[in-house]
Amino acid sequence: MPKNDTARLEARLPASVYATLKRAAELRGRTLTDFVVSAAHEAARKAIEEEEIIRLSAQDQLAFAHALINPPEPNAALEKAKRAHAKNVEMR
């Protein structure tokens, strides 16, 4: 979406939730819309980040680093995949 494009979002919510959001926005000196959009955007960004980041234990981190530094020799399946890739993918 270009920078100036906007989209509309409508929501029905309990009056008590609306009152809480409105009060929080007032306390922050923001409009209700600005407060809700900002809070929703931050929550969405955090949810996406949590799903996309791979977290490894210290032991798994060491195993991963070791595999990168000292990769095993390619097995038959990897060699077959390499040949298929070379055959089917045009490299530029």
Side-chain angles (χ1 to χ4, degrees):
M1 221 181 239
K3 205 172 194 180
N4 294 333
D5 281 356
T6 61
R8 186 165 190 84
L9 172 67
E10 294 184 35
R12 296 204 177 272
L13 53 147
S16 62
V17 173
Y18 178 85
T20 301
L21 293 171
K22 188 172 180 180
R23 177 73 178 130
E26 289 169 354
L27 290 170
R28 294 284 189 235
R30 300 167 84 170
T31 65
L32 178 58
T33 298
D34 181 54
F35 181 83
V36 170
V37 169
S38 178
H41 185 247
E42 179 59 25
R45 189 200 57 73
K46 186 175 180 183
I48 292 167
E49 179 181 289
E50 288 173 357
E51 289 299 316
E52 291 181 344
I53 292 177
I54 299 171
R55 291 181 175 34
L56 300 175
S57 68
Q59 182 179 355
D60 290 338
Q61 290 176 36
L62 288 172
F64 182 75
H66 184 267
L68 288 176
I69 295 167
N70 303 303
E73 292 295 317
N75 61 19
L78 184 57
E79 291 292 348
K80 182 178 176 183
K82 181 180 173 184
R83 287 190 301 275
H85 179 270
K87 179 181 174 186
N88 296 313
V89 177
E90 180 181 323
M91 300 298 288
R92 292 182 182 194

